[in-house]
Amino acid sequence: MPKTETILSTKSLHYFLQLIDTMNYTQAAQILGITQPALTQQIKKIEHAIGTPLFGQMGKKLYLTEAGKQLQTGAIKLLGTVNSVVSDIQEFTQEDKGHIAIGVLESVNSDILRHFLVKFNQKFPDITINVSYYNRKDLWYNLDNNLIDLALLYVPETTKKSQANIQNQYEQMKIVQDKLTILTHDNQAEVGKAYPVSKFLGKKWVLYPDDFYLTQLLKGKLGSKLNTRNGLKVPLTFTSTQQLVATAQETKYDTVVSDSYFQLHKNEITLTPVFLKGVQKFSISFIYRKGKKDVPRIKNFLVELKNFLS
């Protein structure tokens, strides 16, 4: 097989990018549904074809070589082009066939989406759907490069200049209006009441990482008080909402979640739900490129979702 065919095989590049996502051969192979030796062999074939290693190893940890970084950039662009071409072709096919790629922000509660997808799949079994979870930066990158069709994420209710990009290039379908909910151990706090920032200063928290939207909302409200002696103390962070809440309940730390998550899991949560005065409201919304609704399967998906929500 010619070297270029080995490198440009969509399957090979898909395997390569999946390994980058996990930096673990075992986990990547499990996600891909193949054996670890098969994945290792595929990567070695690409390395042999280009004549240089794509991955290095430091201890037990993998890292990308410079050649690997260059191939990653090319692979993403190439697969984006392939997906775009396939998408363009499928625009002329029926609304009940094809593939839909959905990206979901890591911290977004996607239970409603999962329930809908079960119903949608039963009604349209010939439409395949792939759901992947990303941080905000990677989610927008995949949306910008047409690697996903729809992105589910938090969107502030008040539109600022920095969000003009959403209005100009994308359309939005609001799924549910949401707000920041604090889960506290404070026995004097009243359920559902909104409190000022001063109520929560000096407490210890378990939160999402700094680049997560809900953490940014909380820290944005603290403002100048953030770096004071009584500011935010965060001994633990988690990307998983389930682990966040479980840890808060096992410790004396407070935490924050979306109200939609709390409403779906309130029977499992023992902490007191309260709100923070003056925090910006937001929605969980689908964002997609303008023109995506011209694709029959995407239009059909959005119509069915709207009917499901109503």
Side-chain angles (χ1 to χ4, degrees), residues 8-16 42 79:
L8 299 181
S9 161
T10 55
K11 182 176 77 171
S12 299
L13 294 180
H14 178 56
Y15 287 2
F16 170 64
Q42 192 68 58
L79 290 180

Side-chain angles (χ1 to χ4, degrees), residues 264-281:
L264 285 169
H265 299 275
K266 59 184 178 183
N267 292 334
E268 309 156 20
I269 296 175
T270 58
L271 301 176
T272 302
V274 297
F275 304 112
L276 196 60
K277 285 185 177 179
V279 171
Q280 186 180 33
K281 291 183 179 180

Side-chain angles (χ1 to χ4, degrees), residues 163-185:
Q163 293 171 283
N165 184 42
I166 294 180
Q167 292 182 322
N168 294 334
Q169 298 185 43
Y170 301 95
E171 293 187 66
Q172 174 182 347
M173 178 179 178
K174 185 184 294 185
I175 305 302
V176 62
Q177 189 178 55
D178 220 330
K179 54 186 174 182
L180 190 74
T181 296
I182 293 178
L183 301 179
T184 182
H185 289 271

Side-chain angles (χ1 to χ4, degrees), residues 132-172:
S132 301
Y133 292 82
Y134 302 96
N135 60 42
R136 184 172 287 268
K137 179 181 177 182
D138 290 342
L139 183 62
W140 275 109
Y141 181 90
N142 280 273
L143 191 62
D144 286 338
N145 287 277
N146 207 34
L147 296 173
I148 55 176
D149 300 299
L150 306 164
L152 188 67
L153 71 164
Y154 294 126
V155 179
E157 290 289 278
T158 54
T159 303
K160 299 179 180 179
K161 288 183 180 180
S162 61
Q163 293 171 283
N165 184 42
I166 294 180
Q167 292 182 322
N168 294 334
Q169 298 185 43
Y170 301 95
E171 293 187 66
Q172 174 182 347

Side-chain angles (χ1 to χ4, degrees), residues 121-241:
N121 175 251
Q122 291 171 346
K123 189 171 181 179
F124 302 99
D126 291 329
I127 294 180
T128 59
I129 298 177
N130 178 66
V131 180
S132 301
Y133 292 82
Y134 302 96
N135 60 42
R136 184 172 287 268
K137 179 181 177 182
D138 290 342
L139 183 62
W140 275 109
Y141 181 90
N142 280 273
L143 191 62
D144 286 338
N145 287 277
N146 207 34
L147 296 173
I148 55 176
D149 300 299
L150 306 164
L152 188 67
L153 71 164
Y154 294 126
V155 179
E157 290 289 278
T158 54
T159 303
K160 299 179 180 179
K161 288 183 180 180
S162 61
Q163 293 171 283
N165 184 42
I166 294 180
Q167 292 182 322
N168 294 334
Q169 298 185 43
Y170 301 95
E171 293 187 66
Q172 174 182 347
M173 178 179 178
K174 185 184 294 185
I175 305 302
V176 62
Q177 189 178 55
D178 220 330
K179 54 186 174 182
L180 190 74
T181 296
I182 293 178
L183 301 179
T184 182
H185 289 271
D186 191 338
N187 294 327
Q188 296 180 343
E190 297 180 28
V191 174
K193 186 175 179 179
Y195 291 95
V197 170
S198 57
K199 176 77 170 175
F200 305 100
L201 293 179
K203 293 180 179 293
K204 289 185 177 181
W205 299 77
V206 50
L207 296 174
Y208 295 110
D210 285 346
D211 59 345
F212 275 51
Y213 184 68
L214 297 188
T215 299
Q216 291 175 354
L217 274 184
L218 178 63
K219 289 191 172 184
K221 185 59 184 175
L222 287 170
S224 61
K225 300 181 180 66
L226 186 59
N227 297 316
T228 64
R229 187 178 65 179
N230 290 325
L232 211 59
K233 300 174 183 178
V234 188
L236 295 169
T237 61
F238 292 92
T239 60
S240 164
T241 307

Side-chain angles (χ1 to χ4, degrees), residues 37-49:
L39 176 59
T40 302
Q41 184 181 28
Q42 192 68 58
I43 298 300
K44 285 183 177 179
K45 282 183 179 179
I46 303 176
E47 291 179 329
H48 178 73

